[in-house]
Amino acid sequence: MGGDPGRALSTDALRLLLAGPVEEAARGLLGCTLTANGVTLRLTEVEAYDGTGRDAASHAHRGRTARNAVMFGPPGLAYVYFTYGMHWCLNVVCREEGIASAVLLRAGSIVDGIALARARRPGSTDRDLARGPARLTQALAITGADNGVDLFSDDSPVRLSPPATLDETPAAELVIHSGPRVGVAAEAERPWRFWLAGEPSVSAYRPRVLRRRPTA
DNA sequence: AGTAGGATAATCT
DNA sequence: GATTATCCTACTG
């Protein structure tokens, strides 16, 4: 024998899934583990974003720019972007190279390295440590320096793994709910946010507030 | 429990 | 110059 055939198979299956339709990739990412800088979490909430011309809410909808270039790369890369003047958010690049799409990692529950995560988010409850996309990157100390790294490479600072064994968390037994994406104005009707039922680490839904126009 | 407003800067028009 | 794939604090009930 040697090695761990079950796990290797599962990793290959995950790679294949990421290359396919992004909403299926998003579902497959739930329950996977993400490890960076001494902290590991189990993904409990994600959002799918399609590519150029297919999803008005996607960063790549209007084509390639300096910011979204990684989204056009091969599946399994990390797309990290900066928003609201202070927050980093992490995506998993999906679809074949040349076709942009990505899954935003919105929340997870810490399964290892919780002391480090607490130190990085002082004042947070354990439930809130990675509850929300910018909180998730804070807990794992992920920044723009990680943009473009290969999530499947052994020497990568950020790594993605399928559920530990198929016996422990069979995908068929995961109860997945879906609904509108958070904070998104365009394509508000597209139910491409996916989360695990009964998970306390799932972030609160916030419909985007329409900004009031300046007084006439 | 729920809601409102401010922080703060890259990105795109 | 407007918008933003957010978070935190403060306030109301």
Side-chain angles (χ1 to χ4, degrees):
Chain A
M1 314 351 153
D4 187 342
R7 188 183 190 97
L9 255 177
S10 190
T11 299
D12 287 345
L14 182 56
R15 284 177 180 276
L16 275 174
L17 200 58
L18 296 188
V22 69
E23 66 271 36
E24 291 175 26
R27 290 176 169 273
L29 284 168
L30 292 172
C32 291
T33 58
L34 184 72
T35 303
N37 303 303
V39 176
T40 296
L41 57 74
R42 177 172 177 264
L43 294 173
T44 57
E45 181 189 3
V46 298
E47 278 176 2
Y49 288 87
D50 215 332
T52 306
R54 294 191 305 266
D55 182 357
S58 172
H59 284 175
H61 181 54
R62 302 216 161 247
R64 188 181 190 124
T65 66
R67 176 176 67 162
N68 67 26
V70 172
M71 286 182 74
F72 292 80
L77 297 188
Y79 166 48
V80 185
Y81 69 91
F82 187 69
T83 193
Y84 289 103
M86 62 194 103
H87 298 304
W88 297 102
C89 294
L90 170 65
N91 296 250
V92 178
V93 172
C94 296
R95 294 295 236 113
E96 314 89 70
E97 184 159 16
I99 302 179
S101 77
V103 173
L104 171 69
L105 305 185
R106 287 200 56 91
S109 61
I110 311 288
V111 296
D112 195 36
I114 195 163
L116 264 176
R118 285 176 182 142
R120 288 172 183 150
R121 295 190 31 79
S124 172
T125 62
D126 286 354
R127 177 193 184 226
D128 284 350
L129 282 174
R131 184 172 179 253
R135 292 167 170 176
L136 184 152
T137 60
Q138 280 174 30
L140 272 65
I142 289 166
T143 70
D146 300 302
N147 190 39
V149 304
D150 181 359
L151 296 171
F152 288 119
S153 173
D154 285 339
D155 57 359
S156 172
V158 189
R159 291 179 309 285
L160 181 67
S161 303
T165 72
L166 292 177
D167 289 339
E168 279 176 23
T169 45
E173 287 187 12
L174 295 180
V175 179
I176 298 176
H177 290 190
S178 67
R181 295 173 291 190
V182 175
V184 170
E187 306 254 2
E189 72 289 351
R190 196 187 291 227
W192 272 16
R193 172 184 178 231
F194 303 95
W195 66 94
L196 293 180
E199 267 292 333
S201 64
V202 170
S203 69
Y205 174 60
R206 296 269 180 271
R208 187 182 187 278
V209 230
L210 260 74
R211 207 169 294 252
R212 205 194 52 169
R213 284 185 314 227
T215 49

